[in-house]
């Protein structure tokens, strides 16, 4: 490896690294505003100036200067210090210095670097420039007079999000960042530009003037708005979650976060269930926990085992599903299901329902076939990985399903099962010749009566083209529900002779239907006695005969398994609202009343039982290496039908009860469905 000297100390570096990266590797901090390791190099701000020998006797921008063998790099000479002070002085000429009212105050790069590298005064007394504010949509609040034209937002929106809605216009003192034609940012990742902005020119509109960063308690936890399992930090004040920010995890979300994961937090305090309710004479009344549990217990004890069923929702933690599974199996019921979308998964090897390539690993695929999945809508951060691979020229992408703007070019092959049954020879040949072919299947293809046959056909295609081989497993199921893989891992599917979701919802199919946070099914079709355990007064609670208030994902510790099979642990951020309890504790209390007391009294005991029965849950943050399996044995042979593959996520901003309770998500949904002319106004 080549060697350079940084402040007199030899440092090895990899070919292609910049001087800034070499200096940071040697442990020397280099101030910067425009440089970001995940974005292209702009060299706008000039704050990263260093002195380099051999070279001209002047400071040079280290972010754009390639490192070379034998270079001498100086990061703190008088020349460098004077140059940085001058750059900072220029940056502050037009900055309004309104830190006391700025939402970025307290966590602002400009504040920190002005103290560390700036002068103690300014030699400029001219009037400051003013820039008109821009309307960039419901998630971004602009104060463009603060902008220093670092162009981080422009590069992120263009390169990562793939929606070039932001750019710079004019030159010199008239230069400004704006959206084209006063258009809102049409991206599900728009909130990331607020994180990237180093000066407070772009801040989070939903949280404007709500808090100061030093007031907040910070808790590292896991997001459940989709199946990616993004690593997040939830900041709370008192009993309220004030904001959610991304944490860095290279294997999952890198350092990005979708808008739904970030801004749906205002839904945590709206439409909440905070006390038990029991329906009497057709009307709900407030009840005590003892009354509500007794009513449920009486109904369960009176019903025959085959007339009892439970459906688990998309946001459930593994502990609550395990407790429900243990209880209903003890009651003798085989009617258990966690697949609200009806996907034909849950039987056979574990690899049959995982994203086996991994979220980060999908970037290595050189030929990708998307079947019945819209990754931009169902898993935006997986979509950014596919876009990254496409940008690098690594992958050719084909789509069977709905035509949508995925932010990258693809070859649309057809809308549904008919295309899958008669796939063009050129596509099969391209997958066969690829070194690392991948097939990504979504619930849009696997739901409905023909789901098992579609899964079998996709498995047969995967086997034919060699998607699964030694060292590479390119067979991928992309889930959209955070609870789905955890439920499948523990067998939360119908046992032998049991009813699935569709069968349980038919009239007269059951006497008692227990909805464990299940809000994406039309339970009103069932005339069974319905019990709802959940956090929000949403679809599942409507028409329920007993409502038991549960905890939202920020109000309980829990295990979640993401779409690639990575088990992650969420932490409690705040306590449940009112009289609400953690879901597993409610089920444990119910088990006593029905005479089948579950063998655990604490969360630790429950987790021990879960990990003993299903060792997968004991391997926290572990992704199994690519393993071969008989991909052709998945599903069941049958008629594929002629229907189109349609994503079950009709509106990505209103896909769960927390999002539907969020005012910000309602704005984003309205913007998404509004005509282009209205969105531009």
């Amino acid at each position: 490896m080549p060697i350079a000297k940084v402040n007199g100390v030899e440092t090895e570096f990899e070919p292609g690294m910049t001087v800034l990266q070499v200096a940071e590797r040697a442990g020397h901090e280099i101030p910067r505003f425009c440089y970001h390791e995940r974005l292209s190099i702009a060299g706008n701000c000039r704050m990263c100036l260093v002195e380099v020998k051999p070279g001209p006797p002047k400071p040079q921008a280290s972010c754009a200067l390639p490192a070379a063998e034998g270079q001498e790099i100086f990061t703190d000479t008088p020349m460098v210090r004077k140059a940085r002070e001058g750059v900072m002085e220029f940056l502050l000429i037009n900055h309004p210095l309104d830190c006391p009212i700025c939402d970025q105050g307290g966590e602002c790069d400009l504040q920190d670097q002005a103290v560390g590298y700036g002068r103690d005064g300014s030699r400029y007394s001219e009037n400051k420039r003013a820039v008109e504010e821009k309307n960039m949509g419901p998630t971004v609040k602009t104060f463009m007079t603060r902008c220093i034209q670092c162009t981080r937002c422009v590069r992120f929106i263009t390169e990562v999000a793939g929606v070039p809605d932001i750019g710079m216009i004019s030159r010199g003192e008239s230069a400004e960042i704006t959206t084209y034609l006063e258009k809102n940012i049409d991206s599900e990742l728009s909130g990331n530009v607020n994180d990237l902005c180093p000066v407070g020119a772009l801040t989070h509109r939903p949280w404007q003037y709500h808090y100061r960063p030093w007031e907040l308690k910070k808790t590292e936890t896991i997001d459940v708005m989709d199946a990616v399992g993004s690593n997040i930090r939830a900041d709370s004040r008192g009993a309220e979650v004030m904001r959610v920010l991304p944490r860095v995890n290279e294997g999952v979300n890198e350092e990005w976060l979708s808008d739904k994961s970030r801004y749906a937090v205002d839904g945590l305090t709206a439409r909440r269930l905070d006390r038990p309710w029991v329906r009497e004479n057709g009307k709900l009344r407030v009840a005590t926990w003892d009354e509500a549990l007794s009513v449920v217990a009486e109904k369960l004890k009176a019903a025959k085992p085959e007339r009892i069923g439970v459906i688990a929702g998309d946001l459930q933690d593994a502990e609550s599903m395990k407790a429900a599974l243990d209880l209903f199996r003890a009651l003798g019921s085989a009617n258990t299901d966690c697949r609200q979308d009806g996907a034909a998964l849950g039987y056979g090897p574990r690899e049959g329902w995982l994203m086996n390539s991994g979220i980060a690993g999908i970037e290595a695929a050189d030929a990708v076939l998307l079947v019945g999945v819209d990754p931009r809508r169902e898993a935006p951060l997986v979509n950014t990985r596919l876009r990254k691979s496409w940008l690098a020229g690594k992958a050719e992408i084909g789509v069977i399903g709905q035509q949508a703007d995925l932010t990258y070019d693809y070859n649309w092959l057809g809308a549904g099962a008919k295309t899958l049954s008669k796939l063009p020879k050129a596509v099969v040949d391209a997958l066969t010749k690829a070194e690392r072919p991948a097939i990504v299947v979504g619930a849009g293809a696997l739901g409905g009566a023909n789901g098992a046959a579609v899964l079998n056909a996709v498995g047969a295609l995967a086997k034919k083209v060699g998607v699964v081989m030694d060292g590479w497993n390119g067979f991928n199921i992309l889930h959209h529900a955070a609870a789905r893989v955890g439920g499948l891992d523990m067998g939360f599917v119908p046992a032998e002779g049991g009813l699935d979701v569709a069968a349980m919802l038919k009239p007269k199919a059951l006497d008692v239907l227990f909805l464990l946070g299940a809000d994406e099914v039309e339970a009103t079709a069932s005339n069974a006695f319905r019990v709802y355990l959940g956090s929000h007064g949403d679809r599942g609670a409507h028409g329920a005969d007993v409502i038991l208030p549960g905890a939202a994902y920020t109000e309980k510790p829990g295990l979640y398994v993401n779409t690639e099979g990575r088990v992650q642990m969420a932490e409690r951020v705040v306590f449940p609202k009112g009289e609400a309890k953690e879901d597993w504790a409610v089920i444990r209390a119910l088990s006593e009343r029905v005479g089948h007391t579950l063998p655990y009294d604490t969360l630790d005991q429950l987790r021990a039982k879960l990990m003993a029965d299903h060792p997968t849950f004991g391997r926290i943050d572990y992704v199994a290496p690519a393993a071969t399996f008989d991909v052709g044995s998945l599903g069941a042979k049958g008629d594929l039908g002629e229907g189109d593959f349609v994503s079950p996520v009709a509106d990505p901003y209103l896909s769960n009860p927390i999002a539907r309770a969020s005012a910000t998500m309602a704005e984003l949904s309205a913007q998404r469905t509004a005509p282009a002319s209205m969105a531009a106004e």
Side-chain angles (χ1 to χ4, degrees):
M1 292 175 68
I3 297 175
K5 283 187 177 180
V6 181
N7 293 337
V9 179
E10 290 188 347
T11 302
E12 288 188 340
F13 63 92
E14 298 174 11
M17 294 181 75
T18 64
V19 168
L20 184 148
Q21 292 171 316
V22 174
E24 297 245 315
R25 171 173 281 200
H28 298 279
E29 181 184 24
I30 303 293
R32 84 292 296 268
F33 290 113
C34 68
Y35 175 79
H36 193 279
E37 52 271 15
R38 299 187 197 278
L39 304 176
S40 61
I41 294 171
N44 291 341
C45 71
R46 318 309 287 181
M47 195 65 202
C48 64
L49 295 173
V50 297
E51 190 177 347
V52 177
K53 294 180 180 178
K58 63 178 183 179
Q60 299 187 66
S62 60
C63 69
L65 183 63
E69 173 73 38
Q71 266 182 341
E72 291 187 66
I73 304 166
F74 301 94
T75 67
D76 198 31
T77 62
M79 179 197 294
V80 170
R81 287 197 295 270
K82 183 178 180 181
R84 288 175 180 168
E85 288 175 0
V87 169
M88 181 59 70
E89 192 174 7
F90 278 127
L91 290 176
L92 294 178
I93 288 174
N94 286 312
H95 194 80
L97 302 179
D98 53 354
C99 305
I101 65 162
C102 179
D103 276 340
Q104 198 88 330
E107 49 188 8
C108 173
D109 290 349
L110 188 63
Q111 283 182 327
D112 296 341
Q113 294 185 40
V115 171
Y117 303 99
R119 292 167 52 91
D120 59 359
S122 175
R123 292 170 286 182
Y124 293 89
S125 57
E126 288 79 5
N127 292 331
K128 292 179 181 287
R129 165 181 98 134
V131 182
E132 184 181 354
E133 309 303 351
K134 310 296 187 296
N135 181 15
M136 294 191 178
T139 62
V140 182
K141 174 62 179 174
T142 66
F143 294 89
M144 301 314 294
T145 303
R146 300 172 185 163
C147 180
I148 62 170
Q149 286 85 44
C150 71
T151 68
R152 280 187 178 184
C153 56
V154 177
R155 285 174 284 148
F156 173 83
I157 284 294
T158 303
E159 297 167 10
V160 179
V163 182
D165 286 342
I166 305 179
M168 178 183 285
I169 60 173
S170 301
R171 299 179 65 186
E173 191 176 276
S174 300
E176 58 181 281
I177 301 293
T178 182
T179 54
Y180 299 112
L181 304 176
E182 295 294 322
K183 179 180 180 292
N184 289 349
I185 301 174
D186 184 21
S187 173
E188 61 289 343
L189 301 169
S190 62
N192 292 288
V193 301
N194 302 324
D195 289 344
L196 288 168
C197 183
V199 297
L202 306 178
T203 58
H204 302 280
R205 183 183 288 273
W207 310 329
Q208 184 184 4
Y209 303 141
H210 277 42
Y211 58 81
R212 280 303 200 181
W214 53 82
E215 299 174 335
L216 305 179
K217 175 188 173 187
K218 302 167 178 61
T219 306
E220 295 185 350
T221 185
I222 302 300
D223 170 62
V224 301
M225 291 294 119
D226 55 31
V228 173
S230 299
N231 286 216
I232 59 173
R233 194 190 81 198
D235 293 355
S236 59
R237 184 176 62 195
E240 184 178 357
V241 180
M242 303 300 293
R243 66 178 183 180
V244 163
L245 299 175
R247 288 188 291 128
V248 177
N249 187 318
E250 298 294 347
V252 183
N253 58 305
E254 297 180 291
E255 61 183 81
W256 314 127
L257 196 60
S258 69
D259 288 348
K260 181 167 67 171
S261 299
R262 186 190 299 268
Y263 295 118
V265 290
D266 58 334
L268 291 168
T269 55
R271 305 182 193 172
R272 288 303 303 270
L273 300 175
D274 60 358
R275 65 191 72 182
W277 296 78
V278 173
R279 190 177 298 276
E280 286 185 356
N281 301 321
K283 293 185 178 181
L284 288 170
R285 67 168 179 86
V286 176
T288 65
W289 270 108
D290 189 61
E291 284 180 299
L293 290 175
S294 295
V295 170
V296 177
E298 289 174 10
K299 292 291 183 179
L300 287 173
K301 288 190 287 187
K304 296 179 180 179
E306 63 272 16
R307 302 283 296 175
I308 300 171
V310 57
I311 302 173
D314 291 347
L315 306 182
Q316 291 306 122
D317 55 291
E319 292 89 341
S320 64
M321 289 191 288
K322 175 61 174 172
L325 188 64
D326 286 351
L327 174 59
F328 282 80
R329 287 288 187 264
L331 290 170
S333 173
N335 307 320
T336 56
D337 205 346
C338 67
R339 306 164 301 177
Q340 289 188 104
D341 54 22
L345 298 168
Y347 303 97
R350 185 175 188 243
E351 289 80 9
W353 58 78
L354 295 183
M355 186 172 182
N356 294 288
S357 299
I359 293 172
I362 196 68
E363 293 181 29
D366 50 1
V368 181
L369 178 64
L370 305 179
V371 181
V373 64
D374 183 342
R376 185 176 178 188
R377 184 186 300 183
E378 300 173 26
L381 295 176
V382 173
N383 198 58
T384 63
R385 303 277 189 171
L386 291 169
R387 172 174 169 79
K388 189 190 300 186
S389 182
W390 171 78
L391 273 177
K394 295 179 182 177
E396 293 186 10
I397 301 172
V399 172
I400 302 176
Q402 295 169 287
Q403 293 191 70
D405 179 7
L406 298 180
T407 72
Y408 44 80
D409 295 337
Y410 60 83
N411 181 19
W412 185 69
L413 305 173
K418 188 179 294 185
T419 304
L420 182 62
S421 61
K422 298 179 181 179
L423 205 59
K425 183 176 184 299
V427 176
V428 176
D429 290 345
L431 288 169
T432 304
K433 294 175 182 177
E435 291 185 17
R436 290 177 298 277
I439 297 177
V440 182
V441 192
L446 302 179
N450 301 315
V454 171
L455 178 62
N456 183 263
V458 173
L461 172 64
K463 188 171 185 177
K464 179 180 180 181
V465 301
V467 159
V468 180
M469 63 187 82
D470 289 339
W472 173 256
N473 188 336
F475 180 80
N476 301 291
I477 303 293
L478 183 58
H479 295 278
H480 59 88
R484 190 60 43 79
V485 176
L488 297 176
D489 281 350
M490 70 177 67
F492 206 111
V493 292
E496 187 175 353
L499 305 178
D500 61 10
V501 167
M504 281 191 267
L505 296 177
K506 290 180 179 178
K508 300 182 180 180
L510 298 175
D511 292 335
V512 180
L513 175 60
F514 195 99
L515 299 173
L516 180 59
D519 292 279
E520 312 310 317
V521 294
E522 293 297 332
T524 51
S526 170
N527 57 357
F529 183 87
R530 295 194 296 279
V531 181
Y532 177 75
L533 170 55
S535 60
H536 284 69
D538 201 74
R539 297 169 183 166
H542 293 175
D545 297 288
V546 176
I547 298 174
L548 306 174
Y553 75 102
T554 55
E555 299 164 1
K556 58 187 175 183
L559 296 174
Y560 295 89
V561 191
N562 75 353
T563 190
E564 62 182 347
R566 184 190 302 262
V567 181
Q568 299 186 105
M569 187 176 294
E571 300 293 343
R572 178 191 289 119
V573 181
V574 295
F575 285 92
K577 303 290 183 282
E579 298 178 27
K581 309 290 183 186
E582 293 180 26
D583 300 7
W584 76 267
V586 175
I587 297 168
R588 169 65 177 75
L590 179 61
S591 71
E592 290 185 8
R593 287 170 167 77
V594 297
H596 293 279
T597 303
L598 296 175
Y600 29 80
D601 300 322
T602 66
L603 182 64
D604 287 341
Q605 292 175 351
L606 169 52
R607 283 179 173 170
K609 179 75 162 56
L610 173 64
M611 294 172 187
D613 292 348
H614 310 283
T616 298
F617 289 93
R619 297 193 282 268
I620 305 298
D621 203 31
Y622 171 78
V623 178
T628 58
F629 73 107
D630 185 7
V631 68
S633 65
L634 298 174
K637 292 184 178 180
D639 181 20
L640 301 184
E642 296 186 358
D644 294 346
F645 296 153
V646 180
S647 171
V649 183
D651 188 331
Y653 296 118
L654 302 177
S655 61
N656 62 61
I658 297 175
R660 286 190 286 270
S662 164
T664 307
M665 294 299 103
E667 285 187 65
L668 287 169
S669 175
Q671 172 186 298
R672 176 179 175 271
T673 55
S677 58
M678 292 178 60
E681 292 179 359

